[in-house]
Amino acid sequence: DLSLDCSSAEYAEVRTWAYAFLAVWPVGVPVLYVLLLLAAKRAIRDNRSTALSRASSFLWSEYEQRSFWWEPLDLLRRLTITGFVLIGTQGSPQLRVLIALLVTILFITMQFLLSPFRRPLDDRMMMLGHVCLLVILIAALVINVCNLS
């Protein structure tokens, strides 16, 4: 919006809040998810319905009981390949793609070994998504390397 005055006090205040939430969300939400799951761990493992296990079921109900922790881990994967790779890699797109590629390979391996979802179709769909992402990242790495030549 060209009508915004980027030197105004109102803009500076909103920018401060935006930076604060940019710092809080990527760290705070995964930590909150882990704390909720740890607090409800016994009820989840014992298959016992409590107020906390019901309230946090959006985090674990789609996964096998042994993999109830998968959601915060997958959130960290998504944050890593879309945001965390930007930290400390300015000017190095090849490094960004390489980090995302390594994280994707790690999660393909974990997905294959653990099959965390209750429904086998969900496991296969997630594996397909990981493989598609892997192909895209390999193509991006090749393009970046070719552009260097």
Side-chain angles (χ1 to χ4, degrees):
D1 184 4
L2 297 176
S3 67
L4 290 176
D5 180 13
C6 297
S7 61
S8 71
E10 181 183 18
Y11 181 83
E13 182 181 352
V14 170
R15 185 180 58 215
T16 302
W17 278 105
Y19 285 142
F21 282 110
L22 281 173
V24 168
W25 194 92
V27 175
V29 171
V31 168
L32 178 64
Y33 283 5
V34 168
L35 292 175
L36 279 170
L37 288 172
L38 286 175
K41 179 180 178 179
R42 181 162 290 155
I44 295 168
R45 297 261 172 156
D46 296 343
N47 207 16
R48 190 169 30 91
S49 180
T50 65
L52 184 57
S53 68
R54 287 189 305 274
S56 63
S57 67
F58 71 98
L59 293 173
W60 58 267
S61 63
E62 297 296 318
Y63 304 105
E64 295 282 349
Q65 198 171 18
R66 70 182 187 286
S67 301
F68 73 94
W69 46 266
W70 190 262
E71 187 65 31
L73 194 64
D74 192 49
L75 177 58
L76 282 175
R77 175 192 67 84
R78 290 176 294 196
L79 285 169
T80 299
I81 63 175
T82 60
F84 293 152
V85 294
L86 299 175
I87 299 171
T89 59
Q90 284 76 15
S92 181
Q94 297 85 9
L95 182 58
R96 292 177 189 162
V97 174
L98 186 61
I99 291 169
L101 190 63
L102 293 174
V103 168
T104 301
I105 290 170
L106 173 68
F107 269 82
I108 284 175
T109 304
M110 290 172 57
Q111 179 77 36
F112 179 74
L113 294 175
L114 297 175
S115 297
F117 288 95
R118 289 185 192 267
R119 297 184 325 192
L121 180 61
D122 291 341
D123 282 319
R124 289 192 290 270
M125 292 300 290
M126 181 63 95
M127 184 62 77
L128 179 63
H130 286 318
V131 170
C132 289
L133 182 58
L134 185 68
V135 169
I136 290 167
L137 290 169
I138 290 171
L141 191 60
V142 168
I143 290 168
N144 279 321
V145 169
C146 289
N147 284 342
L148 289 176
S149 310

